[in-house]
Amino acid sequence: MSLLGIDVGTSGCKAAVFSETGQQISLAYEEYDYQHPQPGWAELDTPAVWAQVKRTIRKAAAGADASGAGPVRGLSVSSMGEAVVPVTARREVLGPSLLNFDVRGDEYLPGLASRMTHERLYQINGNTLGSPYTLTKLIWLKQHQPELYRQADAFLHWGAFVAFMLGADLCVDYSLANRTLLFDLAKGDWSDELLDWAGLDRGKLPAAVPSGQVIGAVSRTCAEELGLPEGIPIISGGHDQCCNAVGCGVIEPGSAMYGMGSFLCAVPVFSRRPDPQVMIERGLNTEHHAAPGQFVSFIYNQGGVLVKWFRDTYARAEARQAAENGHSLYPALFAEMPEEPSNLFVLPHFTITGPPRFINDSSGVIAGLKLETTRGEILKAIIEGATFYERSCFESLPSAGIDIRECTAAGGGSQSAAWVQLSADILGIPFVRLQVHEAGALGAAILAGTGAGLFSSLREGVAAMVHPKDRFEPNPAR
């Protein structure tokens, strides 16, 4: 007996099968590139990515079959937040998926801002106006591709799209719906006021449902193609950061998931919505968690992207050689970091920053370089700079009524004990590392198990499937 978790991101997708006790049975991964049809545009080739998602599912299912783990009892999908796919009710794909950093629609921001205050928008949706969200992309499609907009029966976030193509209903979970700027947090439904403000049609949006609900069953065609049992339940999943949190066991106030992937992203949990003005001043959003009755916020910067930049700038040939041999260069690079804090200072403004200020007109700085500076010291300083950026946000949380007493690390960076320890030292908070580091897929699998009835509650599913491995206490001397 097993559960399938699918995780669809901006640059790659994963499918993993887990036992009901949380053991990872099989894992498949495929990487893809986004397209730049014009300067500033960024989109995914939907049919190509869907084909790759199916390959990962097929590989993961085959791996589970070979292990003798037993049939998959249910599946759920975690995905990136804002990008949507135009589809018909007949499961036809109508076009590419515009990514959150695509500039199309940015021209509408001044007009939108003139017609609604940040405070009113935040009161309804829990976010402030900005370019990453789905809203401006939909306005652009309606005005520049009216025939596509007319033909679309729904615009589906990737988690909802994958579930729909497998056989689910036209619906999306609350945490992904939040990322459109069109969702009413309190009502758990699309906001007529926000739809009128944007000039968009409610009929183009799918039904909104909580995470962890049965939303359909795997069709015969997909079952035969992918090696899955026909008719197994498809469970509503969540935004990738929310699923990461579930996969880390972070479903109660006082804890936070600390994602160490392309972004450093801390996700604290709280059960009461803070005052909108307090959150706006701190650049913090309020979103539905995938855990029932809870909310989360995202505190992020491009930490993992900076580490990748370091690898590609200082060790490109070595990274290529390692990849050809089927290895990652990251362990060797992390081994070069000095044990003590670096003597450098890094301002991690290599691209637009995250909260609280979202600075886009700055630049990165590496200060303190000397002839004896080593490559490992530069890497450590980059990680230090990104982590201190997180700390500046953490320090503002208590005044917003958000408490973090412990972080659970997830993502590729969490495989580095040095990086996790550094995070605990700078943030002054204990860190836990888990036995399974694919937290997004695991979180989706836990939601699948809960919705399929293997667990009586999400809490029971987390207790059964999430297992700590290491604990890192902060070292005040460092």
Side-chain angles (χ1 to χ4, degrees):
M1 186 184 302
S2 57
L3 297 162
L4 173 62
I6 303 163
D7 188 9
V8 183
T10 304
S11 58
C13 56
K14 300 168 187 171
V17 177
F18 300 89
S19 72
E20 67 269 28
T21 59
Q23 177 188 0
Q24 183 175 297
I25 298 166
S26 63
L27 173 69
Y29 173 73
E30 294 239 354
E31 193 169 294
Y32 38 79
D33 293 321
Y34 52 83
Q35 315 299 314
H36 284 295
Q38 295 188 34
W41 292 19
E43 62 188 37
L44 291 176
D45 180 339
T46 304
V49 173
W50 169 230
Q52 290 178 274
V53 171
K54 288 193 290 185
R55 279 200 294 271
T56 64
I57 296 172
R58 190 163 50 244
K59 290 176 184 176
D65 287 342
S67 73
V72 172
R73 285 281 304 274
L75 67 85
S76 187
V77 189
S78 160
S79 81
M80 61 185 133
E82 298 80 14
V84 293
V85 178
V87 299
T88 70
R90 298 184 300 277
R91 305 184 202 277
E92 298 168 318
V93 174
L94 297 178
S97 178
L98 278 60
L99 293 170
N100 61 354
F101 48 93
D102 189 303
V103 300
R104 280 173 280 187
D106 287 5
E107 63 269 30
Y108 306 118
L109 292 171
L112 290 165
S114 70
R115 301 197 300 273
M116 183 175 291
T117 65
H118 284 321
E119 290 76 14
R120 179 57 184 159
L121 174 58
Y122 198 101
Q123 185 179 24
I124 301 171
N125 177 258
N127 289 285
T128 54
L129 183 63
S131 62
Y133 301 100
T134 317
L135 177 148
T136 51
K137 312 297 190 283
L138 292 181
I139 298 175
W140 189 92
L141 288 171
K142 183 177 182 179
Q143 295 201 2
H144 293 269
Q145 296 183 9
E147 185 61 19
L148 181 151
Y149 184 85
R150 184 190 66 79
Q151 291 179 355
D153 290 311
F155 291 89
L156 296 180
H157 293 81
W158 274 88
F161 167 73
V162 170
F164 178 62
M165 297 301 282
L166 291 172
D169 299 332
L170 276 171
C171 59
V172 65
D173 74 276
Y174 291 172
S175 65
L176 285 174
N178 254 132
R179 305 305 295 169
T180 60
L181 284 190
L182 297 167
F183 193 68
D184 189 315
L185 269 176
K187 294 180 179 178
D189 195 6
W190 304 108
S191 165
D192 290 328
E193 181 178 348
L194 296 182
L195 286 164
D196 288 345
W197 169 59
L200 296 170
D201 306 289
R202 176 184 278 267
K204 299 297 181 181
L205 300 172
V209 299
S211 299
Q213 306 292 308
V214 177
I215 56 174
V218 173
S219 68
R220 175 181 298 178
T221 301
C222 286
E224 292 174 350
E225 180 183 1
L226 304 177
L228 295 172
E230 180 185 348
I232 60 170
I234 302 171
I235 314 301
S236 53
H239 185 211
D240 52 9
Q241 299 297 354
C242 296
C243 286
N244 278 335
V246 172
C248 286
V250 176
I251 60 173
E252 303 284 353
S255 59
M257 186 278 294
Y258 195 79
M260 303 170 71
S262 297
F263 287 78
L264 281 184
C265 185
V267 181
V269 180
F270 42 99
S271 56
R272 182 183 60 82
R273 288 184 63 182
D275 177 75
Q277 190 57 47
V278 172
M279 297 293 277
I280 291 171
E281 290 170 357
R282 288 153 181 77
L284 298 173
N285 62 327
T286 301
E287 307 269 348
H288 277 287
H289 196 356
Q294 306 293 344
F295 298 96
V296 294
S297 191
F298 305 142
I299 303 168
Y300 61 89
N301 65 63
Q302 291 83 354
V305 172
L306 303 188
V307 173
K308 183 178 183 294
W309 170 84
F310 171 87
R311 182 200 67 184
D312 294 343
T313 302
Y314 291 89
R316 181 181 295 274
E318 295 165 78
R320 187 182 305 115
Q321 184 63 48
E324 290 172 357
N325 293 329
H327 303 299
S328 170
L329 184 62
Y330 286 124
L333 292 176
F334 283 119
E336 294 181 16
M337 296 195 308
E339 184 175 342
E340 296 304 313
S342 75
N343 292 314
L344 306 178
F345 172 87
V346 171
L347 182 69
H349 291 195
F350 289 49
T351 181
I352 184 172
T353 70
R357 295 178 60 197
F358 305 97
I359 300 167
N360 63 4
D361 60 349
S362 182
S363 297
V365 173
I366 303 177
L369 294 168
K370 296 183 179 296
L371 290 176
E372 60 268 24
T373 299
T374 66
R375 182 171 71 173
E377 191 171 6
I378 295 173
L379 174 59
K380 186 157 193 178
I382 287 171
I383 295 173
E384 288 170 344
T387 309
F388 270 111
Y389 189 103
E390 291 288 287
R391 175 173 170 157
S392 68
C393 294
F394 272 48
E395 290 174 344
S396 72
L397 294 178
S399 56
I402 300 173
D403 182 32
I404 301 179
R405 297 185 295 273
E406 181 179 277
C407 287
T408 301
S414 67
Q415 297 179 67
S416 167
W419 192 349
V420 179
Q421 183 63 60
L422 180 152
S423 303
D425 293 343
I426 291 177
L427 297 174
I429 296 171
F431 268 65
V432 173
R433 189 166 61 170
L434 305 174
Q435 292 181 9
V436 173
H437 67 266
E438 295 296 346
L442 177 59
I446 294 170
L447 288 168
T450 304
L454 269 67
F455 310 116
S456 63
S457 66
L458 187 64
R459 183 178 298 172
E460 182 181 302
V462 165
M465 296 184 68
V466 179
H467 306 293
K469 178 183 177 183
D470 305 306
R471 185 175 178 86
F472 299 80
E473 295 290 343
N475 183 334
R478 291 200 183 99

